[in-house]
Amino acid sequence: MKELRIRVLAGVFVVAGILSWAGARLWNSVGSLPSVPVAAPIVLALIAVVLAATALSIRARLRAQRERQPDAKGVDPLMAARAVVFGQASALVAALVAGMYGGTGVFLLEFLDIPARRDQAIYAGFSVLAALGVIAAAIFLERVCKLPEDDDNNGQGAAPAA
């Protein structure tokens, strides 16, 4: 399984942001711009919490296993691989969503004197912050599930668990 690359996430964020900004300008010139949902930052924050809790749980289990604690529960490799895949997928979607709301938020900065638009810009900003939290939690989860260096890899580095 390949590691999540920050460059890919940044590229998705930038492209989605530019397209969203341009789309918001076009949509606003034709009609009224759709609103940013209040639930967007809440849902993203919940996903970040789930990813972080999963990472902390797996890290605690691995630590207990390494210290050979008598009641230590092992980590199923398939469960760890599924967690990493969930984290990677969540990070990619969060980068897309952050770019989308970021572009819309940048467009809305022109209309901060209108209270409804100001609220939408705030929701978009919180959505971007929550999406960045999802990305950070996904990267942490991936690092927790990474296999230790193996001499058989011929110096290619460690691979994520799977």
Side-chain angles (χ1 to χ4, degrees), residues 120-140:
Q120 295 301 306
I122 291 170
Y123 299 152
F126 282 138
S127 296
V128 170
L129 290 176
L132 292 176
V134 170
I135 292 169
I139 290 172
F140 177 59

Side-chain angles (χ1 to χ4, degrees), residues 51-74:
L51 287 170
T54 302
L56 292 173
S57 172
I58 290 173
R59 187 175 73 167
R61 285 178 161 192
L62 289 173
R63 182 176 295 143
Q65 239 179 341
R66 271 193 312 270
E67 295 172 357
R68 300 195 187 277
Q69 292 179 359
D71 58 343
K73 292 172 85 176

Side-chain angles (χ1 to χ4, degrees), residues 4 16 36 44 64 68 94 100 102 114 130:
L4 197 57
V36 177
L44 289 167
R68 300 195 187 277
M100 189 178 77
I114 303 170

